[in-house]
Amino acid sequence: MKSYDIVIVGGGPAGLAAAASAKEHGIDSILILERDKELGGILNQCIHNGFGLHTFKEELTGPEYAGRFIEKVEELGITYELNTMVMDISKDKVVTAMNREEGLFEIQAKAIILAMGCRERPRGALNIPGYRPAGIFSAGTAQRLVNMEGYLPGREVVILGSGDIGLIMARRMMLEGAHVKVVAELMPYSGGLKRNIVQCLDDYGIPLKLSHTVIDIDGKERVKGVTLAQVDEKGKPIKGTEEYIPCDTLLLSVGLIPENELSRGLDIDMERVTSGPVVNESLETSMEGVFACGNVLHVHDLVDFVSEEAAMAGKNAVKYIKGELAAADKKIDLVPEDGVRYTVPKYIRPENMDEKLTVRFRVGGVFKNCYISTYFDGERIMRRKRPVVAPGEMEEIKLTKEQLSQYPDLKKITIKVEKE
């Protein structure tokens, strides 16, 4: 059985950044396992720009951003295997994988970094009635067909869901000569970044219908049209608001789910809201020596934050191998309340914390003229005014080690949205 100090599952932006960081912090024995035929993950099909503003201080396309990290991994001489599927991870950190050349094989790891990314929520989770005609695609599949395979999925398009991939594909289909008739969103707010609504819909005159959903798909062999209806506060269609829109293609952009089958097989603690693992300040899961980062942990809106988080996971995996992560006695819980849905990390062990820690979270609705407040036990420590916060944009607060040291008996940090 081969053995490596660190095995990284996934060669997308998270896996690449974690590997580079681990190498730079002094571990040479690193292996990246990637199931696709090339490194870079989902970035390879994201040919639009807007990546890298935080990391490289310039605007790059997805493949360019991935290319920078792939070059770094090559320069650092990090080993990777492509077309290799990880089948199982055991509790004693034996990774079972398979590929065409070696068949089924096992690798013993000292530490494992989970960086499998996320996948699209399937149509089956939507319960749309009707037949299963051709012309229904997830937005990510359509993106791959257009950008990598060179196929146009359809000419007259309706998009259900206003996640970032759906918004970006609305613009992409228009640029390729298709006509996007409408983007319908079940929620009363968009799930995407504000800049994508402006650049991908407003700039192209594509209407966005909030509190609307598809209630029927017409067509047996190929989609002929869809029926949209307005929904009430409970998401139920309102009678009399039905509208038939002829189209030959329906794209679904109805959310992303972290790819966590391997994590569940390990029996590590999972966060119900994010569908990702529960992690501490070191991005370590409930299983010692197994770390998680990127979209497998929680769905990010910017890849720059994925890289930043992954670099931290790589650094902490090195600390773990060198025995520098203390089995901490003291644990401070992070509690989301009043509009905050979750926090990453879920708890902090102050002695293992860096000088600064970024806590990321999302809110559960649109809040205007509000404050993001942080409480140490019952005492309010920070309060930041925000003109608007929305579920489509990830929020963050910064905590410092020095700050926490002033509260030696601290048990709980609460983050909440407050009105005036």
Side-chain angles (χ1 to χ4, degrees):
M1 191 191 300
K2 294 182 197 166
S3 63
Y4 285 86
D5 285 345
I6 298 177
V7 173
I8 297 169
V9 185
L16 295 169
S21 171
K23 180 86 176 192
E24 285 163 352
H25 283 90
I27 291 278
D28 290 326
S29 170
I30 302 167
L31 174 66
I32 302 172
L33 297 173
E34 168 55 55
R35 67 183 175 189
D36 208 350
K37 63 181 190 292
E38 57 203 339
L39 294 172
I42 201 71
L43 289 179
N44 293 323
Q45 69 184 51
C46 300
I47 63 170
H48 53 279
N49 61 358
F51 300 91
L53 288 166
H54 295 261
T55 311
F56 298 111
K57 304 289 180 272
E58 60 181 304
E59 209 169 18
L60 304 172
T61 64
E64 285 172 332
Y65 186 95
R68 302 244 173 137
F69 277 95
I70 293 167
E71 274 170 30
K72 201 171 186 183
V73 161
E74 301 273 14
E75 277 167 23
L76 292 167
I78 295 166
T79 311
Y80 57 87
E81 293 212 25
L82 302 175
N83 298 307
T84 301
M85 188 79 180
V86 174
M87 309 302 290
D88 183 58
I89 301 170
S90 76
K91 288 186 165 47
D92 49 4
K93 302 187 188 65
V94 174
V95 179
T96 305
M98 68 186 296
N99 60 30
R100 201 173 273 179
E101 290 72 37
E102 298 165 81
L104 196 69
F105 59 96
E106 290 184 331
I107 301 152
Q108 177 67 62
K110 287 183 187 169
I112 292 169
I113 299 176
L114 305 173
M116 293 89 74
C118 60
R119 64 166 184 263
E120 291 182 280
R121 186 173 276 121
R123 177 194 167 190
L126 294 174
N127 298 326
I128 303 173
Y131 290 97
R132 297 195 171 189
I136 303 171
F137 302 89
S138 71
T141 303
Q143 188 181 50
R144 187 178 179 93
L145 288 170
V146 174
N147 294 347
M148 296 185 82
E149 318 281 340
Y151 297 109
L152 188 64
R155 300 255 166 218
E156 300 288 318
V157 185
V158 169
I159 298 177
L160 175 60
S162 61
D164 288 315
I165 308 171
L167 299 173
I168 284 158
M169 279 314 291
R171 174 177 65 182
R172 190 80 186 94
M173 296 296 278
M174 291 288 273
L175 291 172
E176 287 299 328
H179 177 214
V180 178
K181 295 189 156 184
V182 67
V183 175
E185 170 58 61
L186 178 72
M187 304 303 281
Y189 49 81
S190 167
L193 291 168
K194 181 76 182 142
R195 73 173 192 208
N196 284 337
I197 296 167
V198 173
Q199 292 171 5
C200 302
L201 300 189
D202 299 355
D203 290 359
Y204 291 84
I206 301 167
L208 171 62
K209 292 198 171 191
L210 299 173
S211 300
H212 277 72
T213 192
V214 172
I215 59 165
D216 191 33
I217 297 169
D218 177 29
K220 223 169 179 181
E221 301 300 318
R222 173 93 196 189
V223 175
K224 290 182 182 168
V226 298
T227 304
L228 284 189
Q230 201 173 335
V231 297
D232 59 22
E233 301 84 65
K234 291 181 178 163
K236 296 274 180 282
I238 300 168
K239 273 205 162 60
T241 62
E242 298 87 355
E243 178 189 3
Y244 181 81
I245 299 175
C247 63
D248 60 16
T249 306
L250 174 64
L251 300 188
L252 304 172
S253 173
V254 290
L256 300 164
I257 308 168
E259 187 82 79
N260 267 306
E261 277 63 30
L262 288 170
S263 320
R264 285 192 195 92
L266 266 172
D267 213 21
I268 58 182
D269 295 346
M270 303 297 283
E271 165 62 75
R272 185 185 52 80
V273 177
T274 60
S275 300
V278 168
V279 293
N280 58 28
E281 76 303 317
S282 305
L283 300 178
E284 188 178 26
T285 65
S286 60
M287 189 172 161
E288 201 182 285
V290 176
F291 299 79
C293 57
N295 281 353
V296 80
L297 181 54
H298 59 133
V299 176
H300 293 61
D301 38 22
L302 296 181
V303 73
D304 304 71
F305 296 154
V306 167
S307 303
E308 187 187 306
E309 196 176 85
M312 192 173 134
K315 180 174 88 171
N316 288 323
V318 171
K319 277 188 181 176
Y320 169 77
I321 289 168
K322 291 180 174 176
E324 292 167 13
L325 283 187
D329 311 322
K330 186 172 184 248
K331 192 173 112 172
I332 302 167
D333 289 319
L334 282 154
V335 181
E337 269 182 22
D338 299 347
V340 177
R341 295 188 67 223
Y342 68 87
T343 66
V344 171
K346 183 103 171 169
Y347 63 94
I348 298 169
R349 302 168 304 174
E351 56 257 59
N352 289 322
M353 188 178 146
D354 283 345
E355 288 312 312
K356 270 194 183 147
L357 176 70
T358 302
V359 177
R360 296 206 161 96
F361 57 93
R362 284 185 194 267
V363 294
V366 177
F367 300 92
K368 293 183 176 172
N369 296 322
C370 61
Y371 294 90
I372 301 284
S373 297
T374 308
Y375 286 80
F376 282 12
D377 287 331
E379 186 188 341
R380 188 165 67 201
I381 299 298
M382 289 185 273
R383 192 175 197 225
R384 193 169 83 243
K385 186 158 176 52
R386 297 299 309 276
V388 63
V389 291
E393 314 236 356
M394 207 156 60
E395 298 292 328
E396 62 178 47
I397 60 158
K398 303 257 196 243
L399 297 172
T400 66
K401 201 166 186 172
E402 187 191 344
Q403 209 176 13
L404 296 186
S405 68
Q406 292 165 21
Y407 295 82
D409 300 323
L410 183 59
K411 297 274 188 297
K412 182 171 88 166
I413 297 173
T414 309
I415 303 170
K416 57 173 83 170
V417 179
E418 291 182 326
K419 287 289 181 192
E420 293 288 352

